Short mmCIF file of all heavy atoms in Angstrom, two decimals:
data_model
loop_
_atom_site.label_atom_id
_atom_site.label_comp_id
_atom_site.label_asym_id
_atom_site.label_seq_id
_atom_site.Cartn_x
_atom_site.Cartn_y
_atom_site.Cartn_z
N ILE A 81 85.51 102.88 89.28
CA ILE A 81 85.83 104.12 88.56
C ILE A 81 86.27 103.84 87.15
O ILE A 81 87.15 102.88 86.98
CB ILE A 81 86.94 104.89 89.34
CG1 ILE A 81 86.43 105.27 90.74
CG2 ILE A 81 87.43 106.10 88.58
CD1 ILE A 81 87.51 105.81 91.68
N ASP A 82 85.77 104.56 86.20
CA ASP A 82 86.15 104.37 84.80
C ASP A 82 87.64 104.70 84.63
O ASP A 82 88.10 105.81 84.95
CB ASP A 82 85.30 105.29 83.88
CG ASP A 82 85.56 105.04 82.41
OD1 ASP A 82 85.81 103.90 82.04
OD2 ASP A 82 85.60 106.06 81.68
N ALA A 83 88.42 103.72 84.16
CA ALA A 83 89.84 103.87 84.00
C ALA A 83 90.29 103.16 82.74
O ALA A 83 90.88 102.10 82.77
CB ALA A 83 90.58 103.35 85.19
N PRO A 84 89.98 103.72 81.57
CA PRO A 84 90.33 103.08 80.31
C PRO A 84 91.80 102.90 80.03
O PRO A 84 92.17 102.13 79.14
CB PRO A 84 89.69 104.00 79.25
CG PRO A 84 89.49 105.31 79.90
CD PRO A 84 89.36 105.03 81.35
N PHE A 85 92.63 103.59 80.80
CA PHE A 85 94.10 103.47 80.56
C PHE A 85 94.75 102.55 81.56
O PHE A 85 95.96 102.64 81.80
CB PHE A 85 94.79 104.84 80.64
CG PHE A 85 94.37 105.79 79.55
CD1 PHE A 85 93.59 106.91 79.78
CD2 PHE A 85 94.65 105.51 78.19
CE1 PHE A 85 93.23 107.77 78.82
CE2 PHE A 85 94.35 106.38 77.22
CZ PHE A 85 93.57 107.51 77.51
N SER A 86 93.93 101.67 82.15
CA SER A 86 94.49 100.76 83.16
C SER A 86 93.91 99.32 82.97
O SER A 86 92.80 99.15 82.54
CB SER A 86 94.06 101.25 84.61
OG SER A 86 94.57 100.34 85.57
N LYS A 87 94.79 98.36 83.23
CA LYS A 87 94.37 96.98 83.23
C LYS A 87 93.67 96.61 84.49
O LYS A 87 92.97 95.59 84.58
CB LYS A 87 95.59 96.06 82.99
CG LYS A 87 96.21 96.21 81.64
CD LYS A 87 97.41 95.32 81.54
CE LYS A 87 98.15 95.52 80.23
NZ LYS A 87 99.35 94.75 80.11
N GLU A 88 93.87 97.39 85.54
CA GLU A 88 93.33 97.10 86.88
C GLU A 88 92.01 97.77 87.12
O GLU A 88 91.71 98.80 86.48
CB GLU A 88 94.37 97.49 87.96
CG GLU A 88 95.67 96.81 87.83
CD GLU A 88 96.60 97.15 88.95
OE1 GLU A 88 96.14 97.36 90.09
OE2 GLU A 88 97.85 97.13 88.72
N THR A 89 91.29 97.22 88.04
CA THR A 89 90.02 97.82 88.42
C THR A 89 90.32 98.84 89.52
O THR A 89 90.98 98.55 90.51
CB THR A 89 89.03 96.74 89.00
OG1 THR A 89 88.75 95.80 87.97
CG2 THR A 89 87.74 97.36 89.43
N ILE A 90 89.85 100.09 89.28
CA ILE A 90 90.11 101.21 90.20
C ILE A 90 88.79 101.48 90.98
O ILE A 90 87.73 101.51 90.36
CB ILE A 90 90.53 102.47 89.48
CG1 ILE A 90 91.76 102.11 88.57
CG2 ILE A 90 90.89 103.54 90.42
CD1 ILE A 90 93.00 101.63 89.22
N SER A 91 88.93 101.68 92.27
CA SER A 91 87.81 102.02 93.11
C SER A 91 88.16 102.93 94.19
O SER A 91 89.35 103.17 94.48
CB SER A 91 87.11 100.72 93.62
OG SER A 91 87.97 100.04 94.56
N LEU A 92 87.19 103.49 94.87
CA LEU A 92 87.39 104.31 96.05
C LEU A 92 86.45 103.80 97.13
O LEU A 92 85.24 103.93 97.01
CB LEU A 92 87.16 105.82 95.72
CG LEU A 92 87.28 106.80 96.95
CD1 LEU A 92 88.76 106.75 97.43
CD2 LEU A 92 86.90 108.17 96.48
N SER A 93 86.98 103.30 98.20
CA SER A 93 86.18 102.74 99.31
C SER A 93 85.93 103.76 100.37
O SER A 93 86.64 104.77 100.48
CB SER A 93 86.85 101.51 99.88
OG SER A 93 88.01 101.96 100.58
N ILE A 94 84.93 103.49 101.16
CA ILE A 94 84.63 104.33 102.35
C ILE A 94 85.85 104.31 103.27
O ILE A 94 86.24 105.39 103.77
CB ILE A 94 83.41 103.81 103.11
CG1 ILE A 94 82.16 104.11 102.29
CG2 ILE A 94 83.30 104.49 104.45
CD1 ILE A 94 80.81 103.58 102.86
N ASP A 95 86.48 103.19 103.42
CA ASP A 95 87.68 103.08 104.35
C ASP A 95 88.81 103.96 103.85
O ASP A 95 89.45 104.68 104.64
CB ASP A 95 88.19 101.66 104.48
CG ASP A 95 87.20 100.73 105.18
OD1 ASP A 95 86.38 101.28 105.97
OD2 ASP A 95 87.27 99.53 104.99
N SER A 96 89.11 103.96 102.54
CA SER A 96 90.13 104.82 101.97
C SER A 96 89.78 106.29 102.16
O SER A 96 90.61 107.06 102.57
CB SER A 96 90.37 104.50 100.47
OG SER A 96 90.86 103.19 100.31
N LEU A 97 88.59 106.66 101.84
CA LEU A 97 88.12 108.05 101.94
C LEU A 97 88.15 108.53 103.38
O LEU A 97 88.52 109.64 103.67
CB LEU A 97 86.75 108.26 101.32
CG LEU A 97 86.29 109.68 101.18
CD1 LEU A 97 87.24 110.54 100.34
CD2 LEU A 97 84.90 109.75 100.53
N ALA A 98 87.85 107.63 104.27
CA ALA A 98 87.84 107.94 105.72
C ALA A 98 89.23 108.29 106.27
O ALA A 98 89.44 109.01 107.25
CB ALA A 98 87.22 106.86 106.54
N GLN A 99 90.25 107.80 105.53
CA GLN A 99 91.66 108.09 105.93
C GLN A 99 92.12 109.45 105.55
O GLN A 99 93.12 109.94 106.02
CB GLN A 99 92.58 107.05 105.35
CG GLN A 99 92.42 105.59 105.84
CD GLN A 99 93.20 104.63 105.10
OE1 GLN A 99 94.37 104.98 104.68
NE2 GLN A 99 92.69 103.42 104.84
N THR A 100 91.43 110.11 104.61
CA THR A 100 91.83 111.40 104.18
C THR A 100 91.61 112.45 105.27
O THR A 100 90.77 112.31 106.12
CB THR A 100 91.06 111.84 102.87
OG1 THR A 100 89.66 111.94 103.17
CG2 THR A 100 91.28 110.89 101.75
N PRO A 101 92.34 113.58 105.16
CA PRO A 101 92.14 114.65 106.12
C PRO A 101 90.71 115.23 106.08
O PRO A 101 90.06 115.05 105.02
CB PRO A 101 93.16 115.71 105.70
CG PRO A 101 94.16 115.01 104.90
CD PRO A 101 93.45 113.94 104.22
N ARG A 102 90.29 115.82 107.13
CA ARG A 102 88.96 116.36 107.24
C ARG A 102 88.61 117.31 106.11
O ARG A 102 87.46 117.37 105.61
CB ARG A 102 88.82 117.05 108.57
CG ARG A 102 87.50 117.66 108.86
CD ARG A 102 87.50 118.35 110.18
NE ARG A 102 86.37 117.95 110.95
CZ ARG A 102 86.13 118.22 112.14
NH1 ARG A 102 87.02 118.90 112.85
NH2 ARG A 102 85.04 117.78 112.73
N HIS A 103 89.60 118.06 105.68
CA HIS A 103 89.41 119.11 104.58
C HIS A 103 89.40 118.54 103.14
O HIS A 103 89.16 119.28 102.21
CB HIS A 103 90.46 120.17 104.72
CG HIS A 103 91.84 119.66 104.47
ND1 HIS A 103 92.65 119.21 105.47
CD2 HIS A 103 92.51 119.53 103.29
CE1 HIS A 103 93.79 118.82 104.96
NE2 HIS A 103 93.75 118.99 103.64
N CYS A 104 89.65 117.24 103.02
CA CYS A 104 89.73 116.67 101.66
C CYS A 104 88.44 116.87 100.89
O CYS A 104 87.35 116.59 101.41
CB CYS A 104 90.05 115.15 101.75
SG CYS A 104 90.26 114.35 100.18
N LEU A 105 88.54 117.31 99.62
CA LEU A 105 87.40 117.54 98.78
C LEU A 105 87.32 116.51 97.68
O LEU A 105 88.35 116.03 97.20
CB LEU A 105 87.49 118.94 98.11
CG LEU A 105 87.54 120.09 99.05
CD1 LEU A 105 87.83 121.41 98.30
CD2 LEU A 105 86.23 120.26 99.81
#
Side-chain angles (χ1 to χ4, degrees):
I81 296 170
D82 184 38
F85 295 113
S86 181
K87 293 179 184 175
E88 298 185 34
T89 300
I90 307 298
S91 63
L92 179 62
S93 69
I94 290 176
D95 292 338
S96 295
L97 189 57
Q99 294 174 37
T100 62
R102 178 182 231 171
H103 63 268
C104 182
L105 300 172

